[in-house]
Amino acid sequence: MRYDLQIIASWIEPGARVIDLGCGSGDLLLHLKETKGVRGIGIEKDEAEVREAIRKGLTVIQGDLNEEVRDYPDQSFDYVILSQTLQQIYEPHTLLKELLRIGRRVIVSFPNFAHWTIRLDLLLHGRAPKNPQLPYEWYDTPNIRVITIRDFRKFIEDLGYQVLKEAPVSTYNRDRQGKMVRRWANLRATYGIFMVGKRDAGKT
Amino acid sequence: MSEYITHDQRGRSVGIVQKKYFTFAYPPDLFPLECGAKLGPITLAYETYGQLNADRSNAILILHALSGDSHVAGYYSKDDPKPGWWDFMVGPGKAIDTNKYFVICSNILGGCAGSTGPSSINPRTGKPYALDFPFVTIGDMVRAQKVLIEHLGIRKLLAVIGGSLGGMQVLEWALRYPEMVHAAIPIATTTRHSALAIAFNEVARQAIMADPNWRGGNYYDGPRPEMGLAVARMIGHITYLSDRALRRKFGRRLQNKSQFSFGFDVDFQVESYLRYQGRKFVERFDANSFLYITKAADYFDVKRQHGEGSLVKAFSKARARFLVISFSSDWLYPTYQSREMVKAMKKNGLDVSFCEIEADWGHDAFLIPNEKFENLVAAFLERVSREFEP
């Protein structure tokens, strides 16, 4: 399992109600179900991934996550997971608000565009970012949002929410392994992982 | 439901099977119907495959579509040229694995393949009911099936599964008898007919009733309204396919000729196909049954029947785990109609999975072997059977 998903999994307590937005073929949900007995739901756009996830015995709905989240009653989940998808969202602030309506806490992970290799690349070669975490060309990338760890913190603050947990990580071996970045996170982390809540909901 | 299906050889056949009959509601204990009338005695034709296990926790009820019947899988005899209508789905090692599950399917009330319907003998007159047959609803069909299921000693079904009109019965089962349904798989179906679907049904019914042989439904002692029923079937077939499916299958190709005939005989292959399907259908289907069943489908309305106008409220009754499946090219019950039911299920916190399978064959896709579809159903059944405690 991807390293960022391992970190996310470690944040979730047994028996929690979880929804994974853009769950792919359900690796994280399956792991959470097997190791922590969570009650999980996945949302995924791609038919083949949906079939694969259902094949694993998971509960998954094929659809666009921006649309699908609207149907859930308030506070249906303990955790809403949005892993490596935020950079592809057209209206991140609208979505985040909706996610904190349906869930108590939202866990977001995204590739950090301020990683030093990207900065160096831009400085030396003047090219748009491309690396193992951002493997696309500028013209075919689904990543329409450029997010850095520092920007995300400010984004949460501006919206009046609270960062409950934060894990800047540096990954290698195709993102399967990694380590936490203690200092100079915005420069050295390949991914930012955040747990976000409403201001009053944080004290748990 | 198509008859051009070619049957694949994945898994094994259930082999030789036998149609069985169960009769209930003998006078004076007649079966009350939703329309207010009472009916009895009622016979249901049914078939079963596989073995019911000791704790009776492996029963799966299959619900058939408009022109289907209880003959889901296997052959009636060694010389039987054709297996049941879902043979690729049901059998040892197949998606609905008869090594694991006990599978039941009954011909619907109002049908014409062994169950009581308008062509059955009315015990009061000694003649076929014809239009004296009371109107039956999808709810009535399901209520009758429940009597059969209880007769078979099953308290709770592991799963109910069906496509199209069968999918409506799946929904009806899940809402009417929530305590008896552990899991439900509505396929290529809807919570109520759109105007488009009603319109097609109405044209089909008019075709039957305009046939001079129909004679107000009293045709059982003479020639049958074959032309009308054949035309009704042709209309149905068009709605079961899709623009793309028709283009791929027939295009504008001519039938055994290279020039137009400049007459009204068959020129195009698609004409020949429809005529063939119509002709074949009249051999095995009763026109009055067609009228009654299509009307039941048009009346079906989950919102109205179970939710006082609210689909969300209707699904608040359900307890089952759902797997909703639609097909991308289905224009009779398009995907948006499946999404509507999924939405209502979500709002009730129900455990629902949904998948729209990319397939070219229109509404009929659920009747055509398709590994993606079969694997999906197999996996879901495996999961729900693990979670099932009767």
Side-chain angles (χ1 to χ4, degrees), chain A residues 33 41 43 47 50-51 54-64 67-73, chain B residues 323 339 342-343 346-347 349 351-358 372-373 375-376 379-380 383 386-387:
Chain A
K33 192 176 164 183
I41 295 173
I43 307 286
E47 182 208 322
V50 170
R51 282 189 281 104
I54 293 175
R55 200 189 59 74
K56 290 174 182 161
L58 300 167
T59 297
V60 181
I61 291 172
Q62 186 182 354
D64 178 90
E67 300 288 328
E68 294 298 328
V69 293
R70 290 184 200 160
D71 302 330
Y72 294 102
Chain B
L323 170 63
R339 286 197 179 279
V342 170
K343 197 185 255 273
K346 282 163 76 184
K347 288 190 171 172
D351 184 324
V352 51
S353 289
F354 167 67
C355 186
E356 180 193 33
I357 295 175
E358 188 76 31
K372 294 193 242 173
F373 172 52
N375 292 343
L376 198 59
F380 181 76
R383 176 200 133 196
R386 271 200 309 273
E387 295 169 354

Side-chain angles (χ1 to χ4, degrees), chain B residues 74-331:
Chain B
Y75 300 82
Y76 284 140
S77 69
K78 267 183 161 174
D79 314 317
D80 197 345
K82 215 176 71 155
W85 56 270
W86 230 11
D87 196 69
F88 72 89
M89 281 292 274
V90 179
K94 295 182 182 177
I96 302 175
D97 189 345
T98 49
N99 287 334
K100 294 182 199 163
Y101 310 120
F102 177 63
V103 179
I104 310 149
C105 181
S106 72
N107 184 213
I108 52 178
L109 181 62
C112 52
S115 292
T116 302
S119 58
S120 306
I121 299 296
N122 182 347
R124 282 197 306 126
T125 62
K127 290 182 188 159
Y129 281 101
L131 293 204
D132 286 339
F133 193 74
F135 271 81
V136 292
T137 62
I138 302 288
D140 293 326
M141 295 171 188
V142 165
R143 288 168 55 237
Q145 285 158 0
K146 181 187 178 248
V147 181
L148 171 65
I149 294 303
E150 285 175 339
H151 164 74
L152 295 174
I154 296 157
R155 277 200 305 275
K156 189 168 185 175
L157 292 158
L158 169 61
V160 289
I161 174 168
S164 196
L165 185 93
M168 294 179 192
Q169 295 166 68
V170 168
L171 296 175
E172 187 71 28
W173 260 101
L175 298 178
R176 198 175 275 269
Y177 304 115
E179 70 289 347
M180 286 183 73
V181 179
H182 175 67
I185 313 182
I187 303 160
T189 194
T190 183
T191 60
R192 55 177 187 168
H193 266 181
S194 64
L196 182 86
I198 295 172
F200 282 126
N201 272 352
E202 174 58 6
V203 177
R205 283 190 294 265
Q206 288 294 337
I208 290 170
M209 294 187 289
D211 188 317
N213 289 338
W214 182 62
R215 294 189 291 146
N218 293 307
Y219 52 77
Y220 294 104
D221 55 354
R224 294 170 178 242
E226 293 187 348
M227 199 56 227
L229 183 58
V231 173
R233 180 60 168 171
M234 292 183 195
I235 295 159
H237 255 286
I238 300 168
T239 68
Y240 304 153
L241 290 166
S242 66
D243 174 45
R244 195 186 164 101
L246 286 164
R247 251 188 299 145
R248 272 183 45 179
K249 206 170 162 65
F250 309 107
R252 288 182 54 83
R253 284 189 296 279
L254 300 179
Q255 181 73 13
N256 302 330
K257 60 183 73 167
S258 53
Q259 300 295 324
F260 293 160
S261 67
F262 294 104
F264 294 110
D265 213 4
V266 165
D267 281 316
F268 296 98
Q269 279 183 7
V270 65
E271 294 174 314
S272 163
Y273 169 80
L274 288 176
R275 288 188 191 195
Y276 171 73
Q277 293 298 342
R279 264 199 318 276
K280 260 183 47 181
F281 190 59
V282 300
E283 288 167 14
R284 65 177 183 88
F285 215 82
D286 175 52
N288 284 337
S289 267
F290 191 96
L291 296 178
Y292 277 89
I293 298 169
T294 54
K295 203 71 187 182
D298 290 348
Y299 284 150
F300 180 68
D301 185 344
V302 167
K303 244 186 210 184
R304 189 185 157 119
Q305 173 73 32
H306 295 283
E308 292 164 12
S310 157
L311 201 57
V312 177
K313 190 168 176 202
F315 277 99
S316 70
K317 295 181 182 173
R319 294 290 171 271
R321 296 119 195 87
F322 287 90
L323 170 63
V324 179
I325 299 173
S326 72
F327 294 94
S328 57
S329 54
D330 184 348
W331 67 298

